[in-house]
Amino acid sequence: MATLSPATSPKVVKRKGSVRRPRLYPPDSIEVHNAGLNSIRNFLKCHSCYDAFPVSFRLIVLDTKLNVMKALQCLLLNGVVSAPLWNSSISKFAGMLTVLDIIHLIQYYYHTASYDVAAADVEHFRLESLREIEKELGVAQPPLLREHPMSSLYDAGKLLIQTHARRLPLLDNDSETGHECTKDIQQLNQSLRKLKIGTYVASPPGEPKEGPNPYYPLATASLDTAVFDVVHMFSERAISAVPIIDEEGIVVNLYETVDVITLVRLGAYQSLDIKIRDALTQRSPDFPGVVVCTASDSLGTLFQLVKKRRVHRLVVVEGEEEERQGGKKGRLLGMITLSDVLRYLIGNVDIPEVQEGEEETKS
């Protein structure tokens, strides 16, 4: 059998390397931004809700037979603002208790009872009666939906968008029941204004703001606004925070539903007619402060702020760009919530409306 030696081996022709260079995009281009966005969407599709669980965490489940005030104390003492509800009579998941439920309850008593009657009745009011309060007020009842812990973060995000919920309970049917995206976040270089993330005032910067609410469609208040007036905004508009502004529209603070709950916990039902400036003195010491950004900031910058400050919303104020157009630096321009960001991250997906009875089959 013949073998090939180095001397008799056929000459190997070396191929010239490609001279075509990869296409490079400037770091602030839309292509780089979209690449980062797609990476995050793929991350959400490839990881389950269970993957997002911390190593150690606390879960509180409340029985629907529990008194509202005891349930509220349980939430506040454990540093949480919502909890799953369990109907022990039929051994079934019964929805979620959130601070908005308490806001609706305050609104109901304001319209239907005196302070003395409300103070006496609330001590015996059970969680199972909250749905009847929503019917009386004519506000939308939260859908009784849930997801499985092994569902993807992407699917959970779609359900949150569909139901306009802020939290989604994860339920398993049996006893069996991270990764950092720093590089991808840095690629999200497009401005919030360009991406149209959040809700902004209808009047452009530099134009006179007139009318009963010059910052429409945003709800606003001043330091001299009564707490009860803000409670009405919370209940009627299903929002959880209102920017506090001065005479020129400069953002000076933020009043949230949890601030109202603090007053209720202290037994200050009759104090809900005090001014916001006085109510702020009773604010919880762990309030993270008002986190602001400008419409010129990038989505990546917003993510870094949320991660660092651990807030659920940011107030958008006029910055240098608006000031050049005749605006005023620090004046209220908009609001961005985590729901707004999630809606953008999930993208334009077809999310069908939830039909009656689906909540019983979703798991």
mmCIF file of all heavy atoms in Angstrom, residues 83-131:
data_model
loop_
_atom_site.group_PDB
_atom_site.id
_atom_site.type_symbol
_atom_site.label_atom_id
_atom_site.label_comp_id
_atom_site.label_asym_id
_atom_site.label_seq_id
_atom_site.Cartn_x
_atom_site.Cartn_y
_atom_site.Cartn_z
ATOM 1 N N ALA A 83 -50.911 40.124 48.406
ATOM 2 C CA ALA A 83 -50.823 38.726 48.809
ATOM 3 C C ALA A 83 -51.935 37.931 48.144
ATOM 4 O O ALA A 83 -53.031 38.449 47.918
ATOM 5 C CB ALA A 83 -50.929 38.588 50.332
ATOM 6 N N PRO A 84 -51.673 36.650 47.816
ATOM 7 C CA PRO A 84 -52.726 35.787 47.272
ATOM 8 C C PRO A 84 -53.803 35.524 48.321
ATOM 9 O O PRO A 84 -53.531 35.495 49.523
ATOM 10 C CB PRO A 84 -51.977 34.491 46.910
ATOM 11 C CG PRO A 84 -50.532 34.852 46.900
ATOM 12 C CD PRO A 84 -50.381 35.966 47.877
ATOM 13 N N LEU A 85 -55.036 35.324 47.845
ATOM 14 C CA LEU A 85 -56.163 35.017 48.719
ATOM 15 C C LEU A 85 -56.568 33.559 48.532
ATOM 16 O O LEU A 85 -56.559 33.039 47.410
ATOM 17 C CB LEU A 85 -57.356 35.941 48.414
ATOM 18 C CG LEU A 85 -57.125 37.437 48.643
ATOM 19 C CD1 LEU A 85 -58.357 38.226 48.210
ATOM 20 C CD2 LEU A 85 -56.798 37.712 50.106
ATOM 21 N N TRP A 86 -56.966 32.931 49.631
ATOM 22 C CA TRP A 86 -57.353 31.532 49.599
ATOM 23 C C TRP A 86 -58.718 31.370 50.253
ATOM 24 O O TRP A 86 -58.938 31.819 51.377
ATOM 25 C CB TRP A 86 -56.324 30.670 50.324
ATOM 26 C CG TRP A 86 -56.624 29.208 50.302
ATOM 27 C CD1 TRP A 86 -57.139 28.450 51.309
ATOM 28 C CD2 TRP A 86 -56.430 28.317 49.198
ATOM 29 N NE1 TRP A 86 -57.284 27.149 50.911
ATOM 30 C CE2 TRP A 86 -56.853 27.029 49.619
ATOM 31 C CE3 TRP A 86 -55.947 28.473 47.910
ATOM 32 C CZ2 TRP A 86 -56.802 25.922 48.791
ATOM 33 C CZ3 TRP A 86 -55.890 27.353 47.080
ATOM 34 C CH2 TRP A 86 -56.314 26.109 47.524
ATOM 35 N N ASN A 87 -59.644 30.760 49.513
ATOM 36 C CA ASN A 87 -60.973 30.482 50.039
ATOM 37 C C ASN A 87 -60.941 29.104 50.689
ATOM 38 O O ASN A 87 -60.970 28.086 50.013
ATOM 39 C CB ASN A 87 -62.001 30.531 48.914
ATOM 40 C CG ASN A 87 -63.427 30.443 49.425
ATOM 41 O OD1 ASN A 87 -63.693 29.808 50.450
ATOM 42 N ND2 ASN A 87 -64.351 31.080 48.717
ATOM 43 N N SER A 88 -60.871 29.086 52.007
ATOM 44 C CA SER A 88 -60.744 27.817 52.728
ATOM 45 C C SER A 88 -62.034 26.999 52.694
ATOM 46 O O SER A 88 -61.997 25.783 52.908
ATOM 47 C CB SER A 88 -60.324 28.073 54.178
ATOM 48 O OG SER A 88 -61.244 28.936 54.815
ATOM 49 N N SER A 89 -63.163 27.650 52.414
ATOM 50 C CA SER A 89 -64.429 26.911 52.381
ATOM 51 C C SER A 89 -64.482 25.940 51.215
ATOM 52 O O SER A 89 -65.066 24.853 51.320
ATOM 53 C CB SER A 89 -65.604 27.901 52.288
ATOM 54 O OG SER A 89 -65.623 28.773 53.389
ATOM 55 N N ILE A 90 -63.878 26.335 50.093
ATOM 56 C CA ILE A 90 -63.901 25.475 48.906
ATOM 57 C C ILE A 90 -62.498 25.071 48.472
ATOM 58 O O ILE A 90 -62.310 24.461 47.426
ATOM 59 C CB ILE A 90 -64.608 26.181 47.732
ATOM 60 C CG1 ILE A 90 -63.953 27.524 47.416
ATOM 61 C CG2 ILE A 90 -66.084 26.381 48.052
ATOM 62 C CD1 ILE A 90 -64.558 28.234 46.212
ATOM 63 N N SER A 91 -61.490 25.413 49.318
ATOM 64 C CA SER A 91 -60.084 25.079 49.034
ATOM 65 C C SER A 91 -59.684 25.512 47.627
ATOM 66 O O SER A 91 -59.295 24.707 46.784
ATOM 67 C CB SER A 91 -59.855 23.569 49.213
ATOM 68 O OG SER A 91 -60.110 23.181 50.529
ATOM 69 N N LYS A 92 -59.797 26.802 47.407
ATOM 70 C CA LYS A 92 -59.566 27.320 46.059
ATOM 71 C C LYS A 92 -58.917 28.702 46.107
ATOM 72 O O LYS A 92 -59.204 29.505 47.001
ATOM 73 C CB LYS A 92 -60.908 27.401 45.312
ATOM 74 C CG LYS A 92 -60.798 27.545 43.819
ATOM 75 C CD LYS A 92 -62.175 27.417 43.181
ATOM 76 C CE LYS A 92 -62.103 27.482 41.670
ATOM 77 N NZ LYS A 92 -63.427 27.356 41.039
ATOM 78 N N PHE A 93 -58.053 28.959 45.127
ATOM 79 C CA PHE A 93 -57.444 30.281 44.967
ATOM 80 C C PHE A 93 -58.541 31.307 44.698
ATOM 81 O O PHE A 93 -59.440 31.076 43.892
ATOM 82 C CB PHE A 93 -56.444 30.230 43.817
ATOM 83 C CG PHE A 93 -55.932 31.566 43.375
ATOM 84 C CD1 PHE A 93 -55.109 32.323 44.202
ATOM 85 C CD2 PHE A 93 -56.257 32.072 42.124
ATOM 86 C CE1 PHE A 93 -54.627 33.554 43.791
ATOM 87 C CE2 PHE A 93 -55.782 33.301 41.695
ATOM 88 C CZ PHE A 93 -54.965 34.046 42.535
ATOM 89 N N ALA A 94 -58.467 32.472 45.370
ATOM 90 C CA ALA A 94 -59.553 33.446 45.282
ATOM 91 C C ALA A 94 -59.088 34.822 44.819
ATOM 92 O O ALA A 94 -59.805 35.803 44.999
ATOM 93 C CB ALA A 94 -60.246 33.564 46.641
ATOM 94 N N GLY A 95 -57.911 34.925 44.245
ATOM 95 C CA GLY A 95 -57.455 36.208 43.724
ATOM 96 C C GLY A 95 -56.322 36.789 44.542
ATOM 97 O O GLY A 95 -55.605 36.092 45.250
ATOM 98 N N MET A 96 -56.186 38.113 44.448
ATOM 99 C CA MET A 96 -55.104 38.819 45.134
ATOM 100 C C MET A 96 -55.673 39.977 45.954
ATOM 101 O O MET A 96 -56.638 40.630 45.548
ATOM 102 C CB MET A 96 -54.111 39.379 44.120
ATOM 103 C CG MET A 96 -53.345 38.341 43.325
ATOM 104 S SD MET A 96 -52.028 37.562 44.280
ATOM 105 C CE MET A 96 -50.879 38.933 44.461
ATOM 106 N N LEU A 97 -55.053 40.221 47.098
ATOM 107 C CA LEU A 97 -55.329 41.427 47.878
ATOM 108 C C LEU A 97 -54.215 42.421 47.594
ATOM 109 O O LEU A 97 -53.038 42.106 47.752
ATOM 110 C CB LEU A 97 -55.365 41.113 49.373
ATOM 111 C CG LEU A 97 -55.479 42.341 50.292
ATOM 112 C CD1 LEU A 97 -56.840 42.997 50.120
ATOM 113 C CD2 LEU A 97 -55.232 41.967 51.747
ATOM 114 N N THR A 98 -54.578 43.634 47.144
ATOM 115 C CA THR A 98 -53.599 44.669 46.860
ATOM 116 C C THR A 98 -54.007 45.961 47.563
ATOM 117 O O THR A 98 -55.130 46.071 48.089
ATOM 118 C CB THR A 98 -53.478 44.929 45.340
ATOM 119 O OG1 THR A 98 -54.684 45.564 44.877
ATOM 120 C CG2 THR A 98 -53.271 43.632 44.578
ATOM 121 N N VAL A 99 -53.124 46.940 47.545
ATOM 122 C CA VAL A 99 -53.447 48.216 48.187
ATOM 123 C C VAL A 99 -54.612 48.904 47.491
ATOM 124 O O VAL A 99 -55.336 49.689 48.111
ATOM 125 C CB VAL A 99 -52.218 49.142 48.198
ATOM 126 C CG1 VAL A 99 -51.163 48.634 49.135
ATOM 127 C CG2 VAL A 99 -51.650 49.323 46.807
ATOM 128 N N LEU A 100 -54.824 48.591 46.208
ATOM 129 C CA LEU A 100 -55.952 49.210 45.501
ATOM 130 C C LEU A 100 -57.283 48.748 46.086
ATOM 131 O O LEU A 100 -58.263 49.503 46.085
ATOM 132 C CB LEU A 100 -55.886 48.885 44.006
ATOM 133 C CG LEU A 100 -56.866 49.648 43.109
ATOM 134 C CD1 LEU A 100 -56.675 51.152 43.259
ATOM 135 C CD2 LEU A 100 -56.695 49.246 41.655
ATOM 136 N N ASP A 101 -57.337 47.528 46.607
ATOM 137 C CA ASP A 101 -58.556 47.052 47.272
ATOM 138 C C ASP A 101 -58.872 47.919 48.496
ATOM 139 O O ASP A 101 -60.034 48.244 48.758
ATOM 140 C CB ASP A 101 -58.387 45.592 47.710
ATOM 141 C CG ASP A 101 -58.322 44.635 46.534
ATOM 142 O OD1 ASP A 101 -59.174 44.743 45.642
ATOM 143 O OD2 ASP A 101 -57.414 43.795 46.506
ATOM 144 N N ILE A 102 -57.838 48.281 49.235
ATOM 145 C CA ILE A 102 -58.043 49.120 50.416
ATOM 146 C C ILE A 102 -58.483 50.520 50.001
ATOM 147 O O ILE A 102 -59.340 51.138 50.642
ATOM 148 C CB ILE A 102 -56.752 49.187 51.253
ATOM 149 C CG1 ILE A 102 -56.229 47.767 51.543
ATOM 150 C CG2 ILE A 102 -57.010 49.941 52.548
ATOM 151 C CD1 ILE A 102 -57.203 46.890 52.285
ATOM 152 N N ILE A 103 -57.903 51.017 48.911
ATOM 153 C CA ILE A 103 -58.299 52.327 48.395
ATOM 154 C C ILE A 103 -59.774 52.317 48.009
ATOM 155 O O ILE A 103 -60.529 53.250 48.315
ATOM 156 C CB ILE A 103 -57.430 52.708 47.180
ATOM 157 C CG1 ILE A 103 -55.981 52.929 47.612
ATOM 158 C CG2 ILE A 103 -57.987 53.941 46.479
ATOM 159 C CD1 ILE A 103 -55.778 54.074 48.563
ATOM 160 N N HIS A 104 -60.208 51.245 47.333
ATOM 161 C CA HIS A 104 -61.628 51.131 46.974
ATOM 162 C C HIS A 104 -62.508 51.098 48.220
ATOM 163 O O HIS A 104 -63.601 51.682 48.233
ATOM 164 C CB HIS A 104 -61.854 49.859 46.151
ATOM 165 C CG HIS A 104 -61.313 49.923 44.758
ATOM 166 N ND1 HIS A 104 -61.235 51.100 44.051
ATOM 167 C CD2 HIS A 104 -60.833 48.959 43.926
ATOM 168 C CE1 HIS A 104 -60.727 50.863 42.854
ATOM 169 N NE2 HIS A 104 -60.474 49.582 42.759
ATOM 170 N N LEU A 105 -62.038 50.430 49.265
ATOM 171 C CA LEU A 105 -62.816 50.337 50.501
ATOM 172 C C LEU A 105 -62.964 51.716 51.144
ATOM 173 O O LEU A 105 -64.059 52.092 51.607
ATOM 174 C CB LEU A 105 -62.138 49.367 51.468
ATOM 175 C CG LEU A 105 -62.881 49.064 52.774
ATOM 176 C CD1 LEU A 105 -64.246 48.454 52.482
ATOM 177 C CD2 LEU A 105 -62.058 48.133 53.651
ATOM 178 N N ILE A 106 -61.879 52.482 51.161
ATOM 179 C CA ILE A 106 -61.939 53.841 51.696
ATOM 180 C C ILE A 106 -62.918 54.683 50.887
ATOM 181 O O ILE A 106 -63.726 55.444 51.436
ATOM 182 C CB ILE A 106 -60.536 54.477 51.687
ATOM 183 C CG1 ILE A 106 -59.605 53.723 52.646
ATOM 184 C CG2 ILE A 106 -60.609 55.956 52.064
ATOM 185 C CD1 ILE A 106 -58.160 54.160 52.553
ATOM 186 N N GLN A 107 -62.840 54.559 49.570
ATOM 187 C CA GLN A 107 -63.736 55.301 48.683
ATOM 188 C C GLN A 107 -65.190 54.928 48.940
ATOM 189 O O GLN A 107 -66.079 55.797 48.964
ATOM 190 C CB GLN A 107 -63.359 55.003 47.225
ATOM 191 C CG GLN A 107 -64.209 55.713 46.186
ATOM 192 C CD GLN A 107 -63.723 57.114 45.904
ATOM 193 O OE1 GLN A 107 -63.151 57.752 46.767
ATOM 194 N NE2 GLN A 107 -63.960 57.594 44.704
ATOM 195 N N TYR A 108 -65.443 53.649 49.157
ATOM 196 C CA TYR A 108 -66.811 53.172 49.411
ATOM 197 C C TYR A 108 -67.376 53.784 50.690
ATOM 198 O O TYR A 108 -68.505 54.303 50.712
ATOM 199 C CB TYR A 108 -66.802 51.648 49.512
ATOM 200 C CG TYR A 108 -68.098 51.052 50.000
ATOM 201 C CD1 TYR A 108 -69.201 50.953 49.144
ATOM 202 C CD2 TYR A 108 -68.228 50.595 51.312
ATOM 203 C CE1 TYR A 108 -70.401 50.413 49.597
ATOM 204 C CE2 TYR A 108 -69.408 50.055 51.765
ATOM 205 C CZ TYR A 108 -70.505 49.966 50.901
ATOM 206 O OH TYR A 108 -71.682 49.433 51.348
ATOM 207 N N TYR A 109 -66.609 53.751 51.769
ATOM 208 C CA TYR A 109 -67.084 54.307 53.033
ATOM 209 C C TYR A 109 -67.263 55.818 52.951
ATOM 210 O O TYR A 109 -68.155 56.387 53.592
ATOM 211 C CB TYR A 109 -66.102 53.964 54.157
ATOM 212 C CG TYR A 109 -66.274 52.560 54.682
ATOM 213 C CD1 TYR A 109 -65.186 51.709 54.833
ATOM 214 C CD2 TYR A 109 -67.529 52.085 55.046
ATOM 215 C CE1 TYR A 109 -65.331 50.417 55.321
ATOM 216 C CE2 TYR A 109 -67.699 50.797 55.535
ATOM 217 C CZ TYR A 109 -66.593 49.972 55.666
ATOM 218 O OH TYR A 109 -66.759 48.694 56.141
ATOM 219 N N TYR A 110 -66.426 56.469 52.164
ATOM 220 C CA TYR A 110 -66.539 57.923 51.998
ATOM 221 C C TYR A 110 -67.890 58.293 51.400
ATOM 222 O O TYR A 110 -68.510 59.284 51.783
ATOM 223 C CB TYR A 110 -65.405 58.419 51.111
ATOM 224 C CG TYR A 110 -65.475 59.902 50.809
ATOM 225 C CD1 TYR A 110 -64.986 60.839 51.715
ATOM 226 C CD2 TYR A 110 -66.036 60.361 49.615
ATOM 227 C CE1 TYR A 110 -65.051 62.201 51.444
ATOM 228 C CE2 TYR A 110 -66.106 61.719 49.332
ATOM 229 C CZ TYR A 110 -65.614 62.637 50.253
ATOM 230 O OH TYR A 110 -65.685 63.970 49.976
ATOM 231 N N HIS A 111 -68.381 57.482 50.470
ATOM 232 C CA HIS A 111 -69.629 57.771 49.772
ATOM 233 C C HIS A 111 -70.869 57.257 50.517
ATOM 234 O O HIS A 111 -71.973 57.757 50.287
ATOM 235 C CB HIS A 111 -69.619 57.151 48.373
ATOM 236 C CG HIS A 111 -68.717 57.867 47.406
ATOM 237 N ND1 HIS A 111 -68.867 59.183 47.072
ATOM 238 C CD2 HIS A 111 -67.642 57.421 46.700
ATOM 239 C CE1 HIS A 111 -67.939 59.549 46.200
ATOM 240 N NE2 HIS A 111 -67.183 58.499 45.965
ATOM 241 N N THR A 112 -70.689 56.256 51.373
ATOM 242 C CA THR A 112 -71.871 55.567 51.917
ATOM 243 C C THR A 112 -72.056 55.660 53.420
ATOM 244 O O THR A 112 -73.130 55.305 53.920
ATOM 245 C CB THR A 112 -71.837 54.080 51.537
ATOM 246 O OG1 THR A 112 -70.677 53.473 52.124
ATOM 247 C CG2 THR A 112 -71.791 53.903 50.027
ATOM 248 N N ALA A 113 -71.042 56.104 54.159
ATOM 249 C CA ALA A 113 -71.178 56.055 55.618
ATOM 250 C C ALA A 113 -70.439 57.205 56.276
ATOM 251 O O ALA A 113 -69.530 57.795 55.694
ATOM 252 C CB ALA A 113 -70.638 54.727 56.151
ATOM 253 N N SER A 114 -70.834 57.489 57.505
ATOM 254 C CA SER A 114 -70.134 58.490 58.305
ATOM 255 C C SER A 114 -68.847 57.877 58.839
ATOM 256 O O SER A 114 -68.642 56.668 58.780
ATOM 257 C CB SER A 114 -71.017 58.935 59.471
ATOM 258 O OG SER A 114 -71.234 57.848 60.366
ATOM 259 N N TYR A 115 -68.013 58.725 59.416
ATOM 260 C CA TYR A 115 -66.751 58.218 59.956
ATOM 261 C C TYR A 115 -66.981 57.194 61.057
ATOM 262 O O TYR A 115 -66.339 56.144 61.110
ATOM 263 C CB TYR A 115 -65.899 59.379 60.485
ATOM 264 C CG TYR A 115 -64.803 58.909 61.400
ATOM 265 C CD1 TYR A 115 -63.698 58.223 60.899
ATOM 266 C CD2 TYR A 115 -64.889 59.113 62.781
ATOM 267 C CE1 TYR A 115 -62.712 57.765 61.742
ATOM 268 C CE2 TYR A 115 -63.902 58.652 63.631
ATOM 269 C CZ TYR A 115 -62.805 57.981 63.102
ATOM 270 O OH TYR A 115 -61.825 57.524 63.937
ATOM 271 N N ASP A 116 -67.910 57.485 61.984
ATOM 272 C CA ASP A 116 -68.163 56.581 63.112
ATOM 273 C C ASP A 116 -68.631 55.214 62.627
ATOM 274 O O ASP A 116 -68.189 54.169 63.121
ATOM 275 C CB ASP A 116 -69.194 57.191 64.060
ATOM 276 C CG ASP A 116 -68.653 58.430 64.761
ATOM 277 O OD1 ASP A 116 -67.418 58.519 64.918
ATOM 278 O OD2 ASP A 116 -69.468 59.303 65.142
ATOM 279 N N VAL A 117 -69.553 55.221 61.637
ATOM 280 C CA VAL A 117 -70.047 53.947 61.097
ATOM 281 C C VAL A 117 -68.922 53.196 60.388
ATOM 282 O O VAL A 117 -68.760 51.985 60.558
ATOM 283 C CB VAL A 117 -71.221 54.200 60.125
ATOM 284 C CG1 VAL A 117 -71.615 52.898 59.424
ATOM 285 C CG2 VAL A 117 -72.408 54.789 60.871
ATOM 286 N N ALA A 118 -68.129 53.916 59.609
ATOM 287 C CA ALA A 118 -67.034 53.278 58.875
ATOM 288 C C ALA A 118 -66.010 52.681 59.821
ATOM 289 O O ALA A 118 -65.536 51.558 59.630
ATOM 290 C CB ALA A 118 -66.370 54.292 57.948
ATOM 291 N N ALA A 119 -65.641 53.439 60.867
ATOM 292 C CA ALA A 119 -64.640 52.971 61.817
ATOM 293 C C ALA A 119 -65.101 51.707 62.533
ATOM 294 O O ALA A 119 -64.302 50.798 62.809
ATOM 295 C CB ALA A 119 -64.331 54.068 62.830
ATOM 296 N N ALA A 120 -66.408 51.631 62.819
ATOM 297 C CA ALA A 120 -66.936 50.441 63.498
ATOM 298 C C ALA A 120 -67.049 49.260 62.535
ATOM 299 O O ALA A 120 -66.727 48.119 62.885
ATOM 300 C CB ALA A 120 -68.301 50.759 64.109
ATOM 301 N N ASP A 121 -67.487 49.534 61.321
ATOM 302 C CA ASP A 121 -67.722 48.463 60.353
ATOM 303 C C ASP A 121 -66.430 47.855 59.836
ATOM 304 O O ASP A 121 -66.344 46.647 59.620
ATOM 305 C CB ASP A 121 -68.551 49.000 59.187
ATOM 306 C CG ASP A 121 -69.038 47.884 58.274
ATOM 307 O OD1 ASP A 121 -69.607 46.904 58.789
ATOM 308 O OD2 ASP A 121 -68.831 47.989 57.053
ATOM 309 N N VAL A 122 -65.408 48.682 59.634
ATOM 310 C CA VAL A 122 -64.181 48.185 59.037
ATOM 311 C C VAL A 122 -63.478 47.186 59.946
ATOM 312 O O VAL A 122 -62.701 46.350 59.483
ATOM 313 C CB VAL A 122 -63.243 49.366 58.690
ATOM 314 C CG1 VAL A 122 -62.588 49.930 59.943
ATOM 315 C CG2 VAL A 122 -62.189 48.940 57.674
ATOM 316 N N GLU A 123 -63.738 47.273 61.239
ATOM 317 C CA GLU A 123 -63.115 46.335 62.167
ATOM 318 C C GLU A 123 -63.642 44.919 61.997
ATOM 319 O O GLU A 123 -63.027 43.960 62.464
ATOM 320 C CB GLU A 123 -63.355 46.807 63.610
ATOM 321 C CG GLU A 123 -62.729 48.144 63.955
ATOM 322 C CD GLU A 123 -61.213 48.132 63.836
ATOM 323 O OE1 GLU A 123 -60.607 47.054 64.042
ATOM 324 O OE2 GLU A 123 -60.632 49.194 63.545
ATOM 325 N N HIS A 124 -64.792 44.766 61.328
ATOM 326 C CA HIS A 124 -65.389 43.439 61.135
ATOM 327 C C HIS A 124 -65.482 43.053 59.656
ATOM 328 O O HIS A 124 -65.973 41.975 59.332
ATOM 329 C CB HIS A 124 -66.786 43.389 61.761
ATOM 330 C CG HIS A 124 -66.815 43.814 63.199
ATOM 331 N ND1 HIS A 124 -66.373 42.990 64.211
ATOM 332 C CD2 HIS A 124 -67.198 44.981 63.784
ATOM 333 C CE1 HIS A 124 -66.499 43.622 65.380
ATOM 334 N NE2 HIS A 124 -66.995 44.831 65.142
ATOM 335 N N PHE A 125 -65.014 43.928 58.789
ATOM 336 C CA PHE A 125 -65.136 43.694 57.348
ATOM 337 C C PHE A 125 -64.167 42.600 56.911
ATOM 338 O O PHE A 125 -62.971 42.651 57.182
ATOM 339 C CB PHE A 125 -64.833 44.992 56.595
ATOM 340 C CG PHE A 125 -65.255 44.970 55.155
ATOM 341 C CD1 PHE A 125 -66.503 45.437 54.772
ATOM 342 C CD2 PHE A 125 -64.411 44.468 54.175
ATOM 343 C CE1 PHE A 125 -66.887 45.422 53.448
ATOM 344 C CE2 PHE A 125 -64.782 44.454 52.851
ATOM 345 C CZ PHE A 125 -66.035 44.923 52.484
ATOM 346 N N ARG A 126 -64.698 41.592 56.183
ATOM 347 C CA ARG A 126 -63.863 40.464 55.756
ATOM 348 C C ARG A 126 -63.393 40.626 54.311
ATOM 349 O O ARG A 126 -64.038 41.291 53.505
ATOM 350 C CB ARG A 126 -64.643 39.154 55.896
ATOM 351 C CG ARG A 126 -64.926 38.766 57.346
ATOM 352 C CD ARG A 126 -65.602 37.408 57.419
ATOM 353 N NE ARG A 126 -65.794 36.972 58.794
ATOM 354 C CZ ARG A 126 -66.313 35.796 59.144
ATOM 355 N NH1 ARG A 126 -66.705 34.956 58.191
ATOM 356 N NH2 ARG A 126 -66.438 35.483 60.416
ATOM 357 N N LEU A 127 -62.287 39.983 54.023
ATOM 358 C CA LEU A 127 -61.710 40.074 52.684
ATOM 359 C C LEU A 127 -62.662 39.556 51.610
ATOM 360 O O LEU A 127 -62.660 40.051 50.485
ATOM 361 C CB LEU A 127 -60.397 39.273 52.627
ATOM 362 C CG LEU A 127 -59.254 39.791 53.504
ATOM 363 C CD1 LEU A 127 -58.059 38.843 53.409
ATOM 364 C CD2 LEU A 127 -58.842 41.187 53.092
ATOM 365 N N GLU A 128 -63.480 38.577 51.946
ATOM 366 C CA GLU A 128 -64.365 37.971 50.961
ATOM 367 C C GLU A 128 -65.422 38.960 50.448
ATOM 368 O O GLU A 128 -66.037 38.732 49.401
ATOM 369 C CB GLU A 128 -65.064 36.747 51.557
ATOM 370 C CG GLU A 128 -65.918 37.054 52.774
ATOM 371 C CD GLU A 128 -66.466 35.811 53.439
ATOM 372 O OE1 GLU A 128 -66.248 34.706 52.877
ATOM 373 O OE2 GLU A 128 -67.093 35.923 54.513
ATOM 374 N N SER A 129 -65.617 40.075 51.164
ATOM 375 C CA SER A 129 -66.626 41.056 50.756
ATOM 376 C C SER A 129 -66.075 42.152 49.847
ATOM 377 O O SER A 129 -66.822 43.018 49.397
ATOM 378 C CB SER A 129 -67.246 41.709 52.004
ATOM 379 O OG SER A 129 -67.839 40.742 52.837
ATOM 380 N N LEU A 130 -64.778 42.124 49.555
ATOM 381 C CA LEU A 130 -64.176 43.176 48.751
ATOM 382 C C LEU A 130 -64.739 43.231 47.334
ATOM 383 O O LEU A 130 -64.880 44.299 46.741
ATOM 384 C CB LEU A 130 -62.655 42.996 48.690
ATOM 385 C CG LEU A 130 -61.902 43.350 49.973
ATOM 386 C CD1 LEU A 130 -60.438 42.964 49.841
ATOM 387 C CD2 LEU A 130 -62.038 44.837 50.280
ATOM 388 N N ARG A 131 -65.060 42.073 46.768
ATOM 389 C CA ARG A 131 -65.599 42.058 45.406
ATOM 390 C C ARG A 131 -66.952 42.771 45.334
ATOM 391 O O ARG A 131 -67.296 43.374 44.316
ATOM 392 C CB ARG A 131 -65.736 40.616 44.905
ATOM 393 C CG ARG A 131 -64.437 39.820 44.835
ATOM 394 C CD ARG A 131 -63.479 40.321 43.762
ATOM 395 N NE ARG A 131 -62.644 41.412 44.209
ATOM 396 C CZ ARG A 131 -61.425 41.272 44.745
ATOM 397 N NH1 ARG A 131 -60.916 40.074 44.929
ATOM 398 N NH2 ARG A 131 -60.722 42.333 45.101
#
